[in-house]
Amino acid sequence: MKKINQYCILMISLLVVSCNNPDKEKEQTSSMPIYEDIPYLQDYSIKYNWTQDQDISKVYMDRNGVIQVLSTDGLLRTHDGQFLYPGTLLKDKTYRPLTDKQISGLTLYENQFVYLDDKAVFSNAWAGSLYLSHNLPKAHILAAGSNFDFLISDGKSLQFLSKDKAPWEGAIDDRLLDIRYHADQKTFWILGAHSISSFDATTSTLKTTQQEQQLTALALQGDHLVIGTSNGYFELNPKTVTKVGPLQNKLPVTDITYIETIDDHLWFGSSEGAFKLRDDGKFDYYYGKRWLPNNHVKHISKGNDNSILILTDTGLGQIVFEEMTLFDKAEYYEKQVRDRHIRLGFNASLVDMDNGNIDTGRLSDSDNDGLWTTMYLAGEVFRYAVTQSDDALQNCRESMEAMERLFSINPVPGFPSRSFERSGYIEKLHDPDRWQHSNDPEWDWKSTTSSDEAIGHIFAYGVMAELMDNDLKDRAITLIDTLMSHIVRNDLYMVDYDGKPTTWGKWNPDYVNARPKMVGDRKINSSNIIGMLQTAYHFTGKEKYKEKAFDLMNNHGYLENLMWPMKDVAPAPDDADDWSKMLSESWNHSDDEMYFVGYWGLYNYAFNDTLKTKFKASILDHWEIERPEKEGAWNIMTALTGTSEFDLDEAVWYLKEHPMDMVSWDVKNSHRKDLDFIAPNFREQTTKEVLPPDERKIQRHNGNMFRLDKIGNDGGEEYSAGDIWLLPYWMGRYLGVISEPQPLD
């Protein structure tokens, strides 16, 4: 969205190593695209809050990098403030004489601050020599021209001030809102609530043209005037003061409060955030506390460091554009995870935060501690395989210790707990009813483990066993065998402490084939268990796994189940059982996650080439229906099949567009007028095109990427990048479809 797409896709030949037989290298060659990781512009926000009663109206940055904000009580300046750590706006006491003046206007001239008070236009620049007296004591609108020319207004009257030209005074029968200067025309343009006027600074000529609409904002772009209204904007030809084209209201928000032209792009302020018009006619939308202290935008200006200053009624959002590569972003996220998202080796979320303050949060347990951690663990294994990083290896060891303890902390042989925590906190933990006491009085463990965790375990251990050449390889194989022995021994169920199968840990044909063919659980459970059994056989060589897999495929229809076309996944028929109906009320995005992490074992460890070809077709069929989501992980994971078409450009788009700020701020998009909405549907796709990740809620890969709003618990949680971003990035690096960082030529 808000980044410069400075990447190229190079077509080169890659040698794809077969995971089916470690001794058989270079099994197939395919032409695959490669993203060259050159620097691009990554945006993030530094916020400065304002909690006082005084109104704030203007913000500028001068040539020295100083930011000043105009308030009804004088000048303010920024204090502290960095990414994720908001600063504040404080009374500017830097220059004592200014604190005694009734400053009502602020602008820049030659990149220096110029002020307006009840007596004069003046500045501290140019050795303080600029001082032009006026006789509009209530003047508050100020615009700078050329050669130290200025036009001011009190909302009704106008006064022209200049160092070397004769002064001029006049008035317009309208409520004046803003003044802009067009340097090429040497003309000041004056916006009224219902009029557009021009003042020729050379001839001191004032002309006024009445307008029908209620006008709210004015900007200059090239040879046109851009006029904002409460229902969009339109353009005027300044020579004829006539409209150029129709009213534009296919916008994120039509209630325009401010317009500014920055680097030939139009930036709009509104009552619900800010947005920029891109070259492709679409918009970059900055809404909510991810970007701004408040959504009501008062003023927009450009910083001399290429940042964008967006002033709201409760503070300033400074949108910073920093040059970085995907590798640079990965290094930031690696630190984010290790700094505040590791709980006992698990990849965890930070919750109970106070309004986005990451230093106030606590690490939380989760139903899916095993799944989120295995996805992070697999990413770190890929990172180690690519870089041989000692840090990545140590991260793998620490997370692997947590995964091993999931098996040993409960009394059920081969059963992985959902999580564990020190005893005495069950009532305070997530889902307290699922927690059980262990034999160690110091620790409790979480039961009812689901199929989500199981497939995550096998995925991560398969990656580790494949790519590690140290003790972690053997430990991973041990856990593969431990979990799969439990499942096979218990007739393809995961059996809990109470001797009963867990709600979701069921791969037995009696359960799977009880679902109608169009119900997703029939397909996903078949796909997952075959991939899990193949992985177990590949690394242990135990025939029981191979025999069970072929029994399921040949005698129970599991191959047919997993090959069921994705386009035919649908709601259960009216005569189906209630459980099947519940399972198929809408598209299950958690199933998508389970499918794709399971594809590592399904494709790489296929028992023979015939099956491998079928499995590839099934994966590509799934990828095809997922394409509208532009999901980074799904596109990268599809590349493991060696296909040359897997939407690498969309995967890179996902990685670039993902916000650096992973706090769960409220977002809202359902009100937007620039989106093409579609009719309600089974997949719960709301718009024709998916929004960029930094305009959506923060979510894991198991969420609906077309969800438009998230309201509630604003700033109360920070997600970990371990599973959300680092997994697809490092898998892309390992598969060779994302290059190492490259210098920008």
Side-chain angles (χ1 to χ4, degrees):
M1 174 179 122
K2 310 170 185 79
K3 300 90 188 175
I4 294 178
N5 281 332
Q6 295 180 340
Y7 70 86
C8 56
I9 302 296
L10 305 178
M11 298 299 291
I12 67 174
S13 289
L14 289 180
L15 298 177
V16 179
V17 179
S18 170
C19 296
N20 214 30
N21 183 348
D23 298 325
K24 184 181 179 183
E25 296 185 352
K26 304 178 183 178
E27 182 185 59
Q28 70 180 70
T29 300
S30 63
S31 181
M32 296 181 69
I34 305 294
Y35 167 68
E36 184 179 339
D37 189 16
I38 60 176
Y40 68 98
L41 291 181
Q42 174 70 54
D43 56 350
Y44 58 86
S45 177
I46 300 175
K47 289 162 284 190
Y48 300 89
N49 295 318
W50 175 245
T51 59
Q52 305 302 312
D53 293 333
Q54 294 86 359
D55 290 337
I56 49 181
S57 58
K58 298 286 183 182
V59 61
Y60 290 103
M61 180 191 291
D62 75 355
R63 63 179 299 271
N64 302 311
V66 176
I67 297 175
Q68 283 191 334
V69 173
L70 178 65
S71 80
T72 52
D73 193 33
L75 296 173
L76 310 174
R77 67 178 298 149
T78 54
H79 168 68
D80 205 0
Q82 54 184 301
F83 178 53
L84 295 181
Y85 290 90
T88 57
L89 298 177
L90 298 178
K91 183 87 171 179
D92 191 343
K93 301 178 182 178
T94 308
Y95 192 68
R96 184 174 180 180
L98 291 186
T99 62
D100 296 329
K101 292 183 175 294
Q102 303 299 313
I103 296 177
S104 57
L106 173 67
T107 192
L108 289 180
Y109 178 69
E110 294 184 350
N111 228 10
Q112 303 278 11
F113 291 127
V114 176
Y115 310 107
L116 170 68
D117 71 359
D118 56 343
K119 296 180 177 64
V121 172
F122 64 96
S123 176
N124 290 328
W126 309 287
S129 62
L130 174 62
Y131 190 90
L132 301 172
S133 299
H134 67 78
N135 55 13
L136 295 178
K138 294 185 179 181
H140 58 275
I141 303 173
L142 167 65
S146 56
N147 300 319
F148 290 94
D149 295 345
F150 300 90
L151 187 63
I152 66 172
S153 175
D154 59 4
K156 189 73 172 181
S157 299
L158 293 161
Q159 191 166 357
F160 175 68
L161 307 172
S162 176
K163 272 192 170 185
D164 56 8
K165 296 184 182 70
W168 173 91
E169 294 182 31
I172 297 174
D173 186 18
D174 197 0
R175 180 171 59 90
L176 304 188
L177 304 175
D178 200 3
I179 305 174
R180 298 298 183 96
Y181 182 70
H182 196 299
D184 292 341
Q185 299 173 355
K186 298 187 184 304
T187 300
F188 288 93
W189 287 94
I190 305 148
L191 177 72
H194 294 281
S195 65
I196 301 293
S197 303
S198 63
F199 175 75
D200 189 321
T202 303
T203 63
S204 296
T205 302
L206 178 67
K207 296 180 181 179
T208 300
T209 302
Q210 297 298 316
Q211 300 292 319
E212 295 178 0
Q213 290 95 335
Q214 177 78 33
L215 310 182
T216 61
L218 166 67
L220 309 174
Q221 187 180 46
D223 293 332
H224 286 177
L225 306 179
V226 183
I227 312 298
T229 76
S230 58
N231 187 35
Y233 75 94
F234 59 90
E235 298 185 27
L236 291 179
N237 182 328
K239 295 180 180 179
T240 61
V241 198
T242 56
K243 287 185 179 180
V244 179
L247 179 72
Q248 303 293 323
N249 53 19
K250 193 174 175 60
L251 313 173
V253 185
T254 58
D255 181 17
I256 306 300
T257 59
Y258 196 81
I259 308 176
E260 186 60 86
T261 301
I262 299 176
D263 298 331
D264 295 326
H265 287 102
L266 285 173
W267 283 78
F268 298 87
S270 77
S271 57
E272 294 193 84
F275 46 96
K276 183 188 80 171
L277 178 59
R278 302 198 311 242
D279 292 336
D280 62 2
K282 299 178 182 179
F283 294 91
D284 295 339
Y285 187 36
Y286 296 86
Y287 175 96
K289 293 181 181 178
R290 179 181 295 160
W291 302 108
L292 307 171
N294 186 280
N295 285 317
H296 189 89
V297 176
K298 307 290 286 292
H299 187 245
I300 301 174
S301 64
K302 179 183 177 181
N304 65 16
D305 57 358
N306 291 319
S307 66
I308 306 298
L309 307 177
I310 303 177
L311 189 68
T312 74
D313 53 6
T314 60
L316 169 65
Q318 182 180 13
I319 312 300
V320 177
F321 293 87
E322 181 177 331
E323 195 174 81
M324 63 174 60
T325 61
L326 290 180
F327 177 74
D328 295 330
K329 194 170 184 177
E331 288 196 311
Y332 165 76
Y333 281 143
E334 295 285 354
K335 294 177 182 177
Q336 184 246 19
V337 175
R338 304 310 301 184
D339 179 51
R340 51 188 183 272
H341 289 283
I342 300 298
R343 184 187 73 84
L344 302 172
F346 293 120
N347 175 43
S349 294
L350 203 63
V351 301
D352 293 345
M353 299 193 315
D354 180 15
N355 195 33
N357 185 340
I358 58 176
D359 294 328
T360 63
R362 67 171 179 87
L363 289 166
S364 175
D365 70 284
S366 164
D367 264 9
N368 296 109
D369 276 345
L371 177 59
W372 310 146
T373 304
T374 53
M375 295 175 75
Y376 167 62
L377 175 58
E380 290 301 288
V381 174
F382 288 130
R383 178 187 172 204
Y384 177 72
V386 170
T387 66
Q388 297 297 296
S389 162
D390 290 338
D391 180 65
L393 180 59
Q394 181 60 25
N395 294 344
C396 291
R397 292 189 180 282
E398 292 180 13
S399 288
M400 189 60 170
E401 289 172 356
M403 300 310 297
E404 289 171 326
R405 198 173 185 208
L406 288 175
F407 289 86
S408 64
I409 201 169
N410 72 68
V412 185
F415 182 83
S417 311
R418 283 186 183 270
S419 186
F420 56 79
E421 186 52 276
R422 297 183 186 277
S423 62
Y425 294 91
I426 285 181
E427 293 77 11
K428 301 177 182 179
L429 293 170
H430 182 66
D431 291 336
D433 293 342
R434 299 184 178 186
W435 286 87
Q436 309 296 325
H437 297 302
S438 74
N439 293 330
D440 184 340
E442 295 296 322
W443 292 92
D444 295 324
W445 64 280
K446 197 172 190 179
S447 61
T448 71
T449 306
S450 77
S451 54
D452 305 58
E453 283 74 59
I455 191 61
H457 281 270
I458 299 303
F459 166 57
Y461 306 150
V463 171
M464 182 174 283
E466 184 71 40
L467 302 182
M468 289 292 193
D469 57 359
N470 48 40
D471 63 297
L472 288 176
K473 179 184 183 75
D474 294 334
R475 290 162 64 182
I477 295 173
T478 296
L479 289 189
I480 292 172
D481 194 27
T482 298
L483 175 56
M484 294 310 298
S485 288
H486 172 94
I487 292 172
V488 172
R489 182 172 62 249
N490 288 287
D491 201 18
L492 299 183
Y493 292 106
M494 276 205 300
V495 175
D496 214 333
Y497 71 97
D498 57 3
K500 300 177 181 179
T502 64
T503 301
W504 301 108
K506 300 174 180 178
W507 300 273
N508 184 282
D510 290 343
Y511 173 81
V512 172
N513 288 335
R515 313 279 78 79
K517 288 186 176 181
M518 75 288 295
V519 175
D521 267 43
R522 181 165 178 154
K523 177 178 171 68
I524 180 61
N525 285 26
S526 298
S527 178
N528 275 182
I529 193 62
I530 297 303
M532 293 160 70
L533 290 167
Q534 286 184 159
T535 303
Y537 175 74
H538 179 82
F539 288 108
T540 69
K542 294 183 178 181
E543 289 295 326
K544 63 179 180 179
Y545 299 125
K546 185 176 183 179
E547 291 171 0
K548 179 59 68 175
F550 274 105
D551 175 56
L552 293 174
M553 288 189 287
N554 294 336
N555 300 320
H556 297 282
Y558 275 39
L559 180 58
E560 180 185 355
N561 290 346
L562 71 86
M563 294 298 294
W564 182 264
M566 273 292 177
K567 66 180 178 60
D568 294 333
V569 173
D574 292 340
D575 61 352
D577 61 285
D578 290 342
W579 188 256
S580 294
K581 291 179 180 178
M582 181 276 296
L583 290 172
S584 59
E585 290 175 348
S586 63
W587 192 268
N588 192 318
H589 297 278
S590 287
D591 283 1
D592 291 330
E593 185 171 60
M594 295 168 62
Y595 278 116
F596 277 96
V597 298
Y599 287 156
W600 177 270
L602 185 70
Y603 179 78
N604 286 331
Y605 310 129
F607 291 121
N608 54 55
D609 289 343
T610 299
L611 285 174
K612 196 166 192 175
T613 299
K614 288 180 177 293
F615 296 156
K616 179 176 180 178
S618 179
I619 294 169
L620 295 182
D621 172 68
H622 189 183
W623 165 77
E624 185 69 39
I625 207 168
E626 294 295 326
R627 294 181 75 179
E629 293 192 1
K630 301 183 180 181
E631 225 289 353
W634 305 165
N635 282 308
I636 293 294
M637 288 176 168
T638 300
L640 69 87
T641 65
T643 180
S644 61
E645 185 180 6
F646 56 92
D647 286 348
L648 176 59
D649 53 345
E650 306 294 13
V652 170
W653 173 86
Y654 171 91
L655 295 173
K656 287 183 176 181
E657 298 290 331
H658 205 281
M660 304 282 285
D661 181 346
M662 299 191 71
V663 175
S664 61
W665 299 112
D666 284 359
V667 297
K668 184 181 175 185
N669 291 289
S670 58
H671 63 286
R672 293 174 60 168
K673 303 297 191 296
D674 62 322
L675 304 182
D676 293 323
F677 294 91
I678 62 177
N681 53 82
F682 179 63
R683 284 189 61 89
E684 297 184 329
Q685 181 174 338
T686 55
T687 54
K688 184 177 179 181
E689 292 186 12
V690 70
L691 291 171
D694 58 359
E695 295 182 20
R696 309 190 304 242
K697 61 169 286 189
I698 294 293
Q699 61 186 26
R700 294 186 168 92
H701 302 293
N702 64 338
N704 179 7
M705 301 302 164
F706 283 93
R707 181 179 175 184
L708 296 175
D709 300 341
K710 196 284 294 185
I711 305 297
N713 193 29
D714 193 16
E717 181 176 5
E718 185 190 51
Y719 285 70
S720 168
D723 53 298
I724 295 174
W725 199 94
L726 291 173
L727 171 60
Y729 170 75
W730 285 113
M731 190 175 190
R733 287 289 306 274
Y734 168 71
L735 293 174
V737 297
I738 299 175
S739 80
E740 63 184 6
Q742 303 291 319
L744 183 61
D745 186 358

